[in-house]
Amino acid sequence: MNGGLPGSVGAVDPTLLVIVVIVTALAFDFTNGFHDTANAMATSIATGALRPKVAVVLSAGLNLVGAFLSVEVAKTISGGIVDETRISPAVIFGGLIGAIVWNLVTWYAGLPSSSSHALFGGLIGATWVASGTSAVHFGKIVEKVLVPAVASPVIAGVIAATATWLTYRLTRRAQPKAATRGFRLGQVASASLVSLAHGTNDAQKTMGVITLALISSGSLGAGADPPVWVILSAGLAIALGTYFGGWRITHTLGRGLTKLEAPQGFAAQTSAATVILASSHLGFALSTTHVCSGGILGAGLGGPVREVRWSVAGRMAVAWLLTLPLAGGVGALAGVTADSGTLGVIAVALAGLVIGGGIYLASRRRPVGPRAVVDELEVPAEPTPVRAVA
Amino acid sequence: MHVNWSGLAIVFGVSMGAVLAMVALFSLGIGGMSMRMTAREREASTRPGTVTATIGFAACAAVVAFGVWVIIRG
């Protein structure tokens, strides 16, 4: 944790700004939750391993547990991409708005994109306009965003394809009933690990943002740990978001990209869980969303049918490329407006509410619910009753 | 600009090894379940299947427990 923020808040009332940043950070945490439900649960829902409601409750619960698991404080909210000693609360606010808007746009389009990259993009844009290019570390952008964005799906895809091939090869003589039931259970276990890791990693980002804002206002001493209410509210916000479901993205990952059988779901989810854990503990952080998407793609390619909708994969890749510049653009605009004074902060907050509300209303015109993900599962391929496993 | 390519290669290698080991162990467990079913149909002893399934799934559970420990350790 750095030792506080420079007081470049202009005429903005510091208390108001801190409250606004906390509320916005929790709102971002909520979008992070429903945006990433699909990462952990799309394959389990799609293969019938879990009923949708059970899946989101399990995932949300594990998100909340995950938020409390790690004692390591979110020391850095940007991973060194921007100079954090030059971030003001107005910049954090602008960055969060950029990230939220991009998360909502991609959710509306049903595209899985990285919430972390959206937050990085928003912070980069807001810092760039507020403190100049020297406050943005471009080398770090390549290392922390661009390389992981390309490497994550490739690594997870190759591993999942190999794992899928091996899975089918090793279990071809097994009784189909035993295989389907076993793989569904295994899939639930690896999906649970992904949810747990997600709660630990992503809820901590929000805790870091809130703690930084509290330190900057003097409510907390420099280098303080997040208070319990911060941990609890960040954990609850992400869990609530996960429970909300994000069915548009779950539909894309569970059914849109490829059609998965239980062994493929098992291979995809186990590969994703392993790559996520290995990457965050062996020194090369990969993006969870990209890993999970790549795992599903690889499982589709390694399976018996090899049916992948490349148009969907292409749209996803475009969304990944646009995440940084577009979240950055919105973040820059929001940051520079919020920096101008109290009126600016209120204007950005109102604009954020209007955009968010507009996207929500637009989504109600063509709602996508859990049924969209499970419709085709009404007649299961195997006689195994889904409920016995769920 | 510094990209930790060797870190990336290690992540790939370790993940690939761990995933394939998990798949092999889990398939062993499923083979055991399948043996049990077949044995029951033939009214033979289900013990070999039970033992195989237990070994396979217990090894997987140990790997998952290690994963949880890695998350908690931070």
Side-chain angles (χ1 to χ4, degrees):
Chain A
M1 193 63 64
N2 70 52
L5 300 164
S8 61
V9 287
V12 187
D13 175 8
T15 321
L16 168 79
L17 198 51
V18 168
I19 293 169
V20 167
V21 166
I22 292 173
V23 171
T24 316
L26 291 175
F28 168 73
D29 206 21
F30 178 78
T31 66
N32 193 343
F34 74 72
H35 212 276
D36 293 359
T37 312
N39 289 338
M41 291 302 168
T43 60
S44 304
I45 294 170
T47 62
L50 288 174
R51 276 177 293 150
K53 256 308 185 248
V54 177
V56 291
V57 167
L58 176 66
S59 186
L62 289 166
N63 270 181
L64 188 58
V65 172
F68 281 91
L69 267 188
S70 175
V71 289
E72 194 197 1
V73 183
K75 288 187 182 64
T76 161
I77 58 169
S78 76
I81 288 177
V82 295
D83 184 348
E84 292 189 3
T85 58
R86 289 162 75 179
I87 297 181
S88 67
V91 166
I92 298 178
F93 177 51
L96 285 168
I97 291 288
I100 291 173
V101 167
W102 182 246
N103 262 357
L104 289 175
V105 168
T106 46
W107 163 72
Y108 180 71
L111 293 170
S113 61
S114 166
S115 297
S116 314
H117 288 186
L119 182 60
F120 291 163
L123 285 173
I124 291 166
T127 309
W128 196 335
V129 292
S131 307
T133 18
S134 62
V136 180
H137 302 152
F138 290 93
K140 282 273 177 200
I141 296 179
V142 175
E143 183 196 339
K144 300 252 176 184
V145 181
L146 297 185
V147 174
V150 177
S152 308
V154 174
I155 288 181
V158 170
I159 293 176
T162 316
T164 303
W165 174 83
L166 187 67
T167 302
Y168 276 101
R169 171 131 193 104
L170 291 179
T171 56
R172 69 196 148 156
R173 290 213 190 93
Q175 296 222 11
K177 200 171 154 189
T180 304
R181 206 165 143 198
F183 282 127
R184 282 179 177 170
L185 275 173
Q187 198 182 355
V188 172
S190 33
S192 299
L193 270 187
V194 173
S195 289
L196 203 60
H198 183 240
T200 312
N201 292 333
D202 284 18
Q204 283 216 16
K205 266 180 221 130
T206 303
M207 291 174 212
V209 169
I210 296 176
T211 308
L212 202 60
L214 288 171
I215 290 172
S216 76
S217 70
S219 310
L220 283 177
D225 285 352
V228 173
W229 70 265
V230 173
I231 302 176
L232 185 66
S233 55
L236 281 174
I238 201 166
L240 204 65
T242 301
Y243 179 74
F244 185 70
W247 298 110
R248 291 167 176 272
I249 299 173
T250 306
H251 177 256
T252 302
L253 281 181
R255 287 227 346 240
L257 203 51
T258 182
K259 204 159 182 278
L260 296 175
E261 295 176 346
Q264 289 167 295
F266 167 80
Q269 208 63 56
T270 304
S271 304
T274 310
V275 172
I276 289 163
L277 288 180
S279 78
S280 53
H281 297 279
L282 291 174
F284 200 101
L286 294 173
S287 146
T288 303
T289 304
H290 299 183
V291 165
C292 293
S293 311
I296 290 169
L297 197 72
L301 287 176
V305 185
R306 284 199 195 160
E307 186 194 332
V308 168
R309 291 202 189 95
W310 290 106
S311 60
V312 176
R315 278 215 303 280
M316 274 163 49
V318 169
W320 295 352
L321 283 176
L322 292 179
T323 296
L324 208 64
L326 287 189
V330 179
L333 196 64
V336 82
T337 312
D339 217 11
S340 66
T342 306
L343 272 180
V345 172
I346 293 171
V348 172
L350 282 178
L353 284 174
V354 167
I355 293 172
I359 294 175
Y360 177 74
L361 285 179
S363 78
R364 299 309 301 162
R365 289 169 56 194
R366 195 173 50 83
V368 177
R371 291 204 66 80
V373 188
V374 286
D375 257 359
E376 284 180 10
L377 298 164
E378 292 300 306
V379 187
E382 298 297 333
T384 322
V386 175
R387 273 161 210 217
V389 182
Chain B
M1 187 173 79
H2 166 75
V3 177
N4 183 6
W5 294 112
S6 61
L8 194 60
I10 290 171
V11 168
F12 179 75
V14 169
S15 302
M16 181 68 101
V19 168
L20 295 187
M22 276 290 273
V23 165
L25 289 170
F26 205 83
S27 300
L28 183 73
I30 282 178
M33 269 170 75
S34 178
M35 273 160 68
R36 257 174 67 93
M37 279 185 188
T38 314
R40 197 176 291 146
E41 280 160 15
R42 292 179 190 159
E43 291 178 5
S45 164
T46 54
R47 180 168 290 174
T50 310
V51 171
T52 314
T54 308
I55 292 172
F57 290 135
C60 286
V63 178
V64 171
F66 175 72
V68 172
W69 178 75
V70 165
I71 295 175
I72 294 173
R73 206 191 45 167

